[in-house]
Amino acid sequence: MRDHPSAENTPDSDVWHGRATNRFQWVFALVGAACMALGIELAVDSAWTSGVAPLVMSVVGCIAAGLLVLFGTLAFVHVDLKLDRECLEIRCGHIGLPRRRIPLAHVAGADFEPHVTPRHWGGWGYRWRPEMGTAVVVRRGEGVVLRFWDGRTLTITVDDAESAVQVIRDRLRQGTPGAAH
């Protein structure tokens, strides 16, 4: 899943942008919408004779499950990565939440990971595993692994991850004392 480099992502540019998208998650969003529609249909046109309590539980359950699936998947349909001279910003989904802003001063290094899969992280989304660190996984494929000075790591799936790693390494070299500018 590589896009052609844009003019924004040239080595002389001040800001590098990257993005990864998972179109398959739209299927889950449709399932969430269908659950909500079922709950509304039950509320409007129900012929339940067994009482009000089971009907209310069914309606509330369908609508709650639908909202949870719908908004949970839309939050991780894509991830945007923006890298400027001082920090790296990660924004997820259409609303941009969750969002994480990381100063480059906190980053010890960056590595390219060619095979990031949701299976290794326990699914899509914002993930944490004690033995692996934290990850933002929206699809399988290439990603960037950030290593922090305190030993933690953050993996982000993004298209053209090799380019992102190179830009991060260049910026880290420029920011070190005694480095030639």
Side-chain angles (χ1 to χ4, degrees), residues 3-5 9 12 14 24 31-32 46 52 54 72 77 102 115 119 122 128 137 157:
D3 292 331
H4 296 289
N9 293 337
D12 298 330
D14 283 345
F24 183 70
V31 169
S46 68
V52 173
V77 166
I102 303 165
H115 303 291
R119 185 185 65 184
W128 175 75
V137 180
T157 55

Side-chain angles (χ1 to χ4, degrees), residues 11-164:
D12 298 330
S13 176
D14 283 345
V15 179
W16 185 93
H17 290 277
R19 183 181 182 118
T21 302
N22 185 345
R23 290 178 182 89
F24 183 70
Q25 285 190 321
W26 287 105
V27 174
F28 292 123
L30 289 174
V31 169
C35 283
M36 287 180 45
L38 177 62
I40 293 168
E41 172 65 24
L42 286 173
V44 172
D45 188 31
S46 68
W48 285 38
T49 59
S50 59
V52 173
L55 175 62
V56 170
M57 289 174 27
S58 297
V59 169
V60 170
C62 285
I63 292 175
L67 283 172
L68 183 65
V69 170
L70 182 64
F71 289 117
T73 56
L74 290 180
F76 292 101
V77 166
H78 67 264
V79 63
D80 288 315
L81 183 67
K82 181 176 124 181
L83 176 66
D84 61 25
R85 294 276 176 208
E86 289 119 25
C87 70
L88 180 117
E89 184 176 71
I90 305 157
R91 300 183 83 175
C92 298
H94 296 289
I95 302 172
L97 296 173
R99 181 173 90 177
R100 187 163 177 193
R101 192 170 171 86
I102 303 165
L104 286 177
H106 296 175
V107 178
D111 297 312
F112 171 71
E113 176 59 49
H115 303 291
V116 178
T117 65
R119 185 185 65 184
H120 291 130
W121 287 95
W124 288 308
Y126 202 95
R127 299 294 181 181
W128 175 75
R129 294 193 56 188
E131 69 278 4
M132 296 174 67
T134 307
V136 179
V137 180
V138 296
R139 55 128 175 96
R140 111 184 106 112
E142 60 186 325
V144 175
V145 179
L146 297 175
R147 290 177 281 108
F148 299 104
W149 291 109
D150 62 2
R152 294 178 298 128
T153 62
L154 173 64
T155 303
I156 309 140
T157 55
V158 65
D159 293 337
D160 198 17
E162 283 181 289
S163 173

Side-chain angles (χ1 to χ4, degrees), residues 159-173:
D159 293 337
D160 198 17
E162 283 181 289
S163 173
V165 167
Q166 188 59 46
V167 170
I168 292 168
R169 287 177 179 170
D170 290 346
R171 302 258 166 98
L172 291 176
R173 256 185 260 119

